Amino acid sequence: MRRFVSRLQQQENRIFCWINQRLRRAWLDRFFNTLTHLGGATATIAIALCLCIFGQGSWRLAGFHCCAVLALSHIPVSIMKRKYPRLRPYLVLPDTNTCKKPLTDPSFPSGHTTAIFSVAVPLVYVSPWLASIVLPLACLVGLSRIYLGLHYPSDCLAGSILGTTAALATAVFFV
């Protein structure tokens, strides 16, 4: 079992290094440094609250759904970060490219990815055609976290699963 886990970690490190080091481009640096903030607390809470305050009908309900999912999904994020204090990749892997002010809290799971999926999925419920815009955007936020050296791919995968699961589990109360 230990060898299996070790091989998984090696494969994940290869994927991480390919995204973080081999994809490096000046325009991607600017793009991902900007895009990553869509998954931050400021942006996701602002989107949810704006929908609650200014939305009409089903959009207002979607705002409340986003608020509930943001709150609910970050409970397991906080617990998992304490229970599994995984070091961020830039602290472990040599030659990792990272942003100007990298975070130092535990890496697993990605809070930004959890947050963006916690907002994206309720929006898809209100307007399914938005899926072709907001879900790829949410995936790009997760990718930005890897590109910026802040998370391993499994951190972002776990975050996307947490955000999506919380949204699906609470949809019955808001749809």
Side-chain angles (χ1 to χ4, degrees), residues 4 52 83:
F4 176 72
C52 288
K83 188 164 175 89

Side-chain angles (χ1 to χ4, degrees), residues 3 45 54 106 124 151 163 168:
R3 262 199 301 193
I45 293 170
F54 303 114
V124 170
H151 288 287
L168 295 175

Side-chain angles (χ1 to χ4, degrees), residues 1-17 86 93 108 152-155 157:
M1 183 63 161
R2 183 174 280 165
R3 262 199 301 193
F4 176 72
V5 171
S6 177
R7 285 187 183 160
L8 278 179
Q9 183 64 49
Q10 288 174 348
Q11 187 62 28
E12 182 170 48
N13 288 349
R14 280 191 206 104
I15 294 167
F16 171 84
C17 289
R86 184 181 199 185
L93 301 174
F108 182 82
Y152 292 98
S154 61
D155 300 342
L157 178 62

Side-chain angles (χ1 to χ4, degrees), residues 71-86:
L72 180 67
S73 66
H74 276 73
I75 294 169
V77 168
S78 294
I79 292 169
M80 291 170 84
K81 281 187 182 274
R82 284 187 181 88
K83 188 164 175 89
Y84 306 105
R86 184 181 199 185

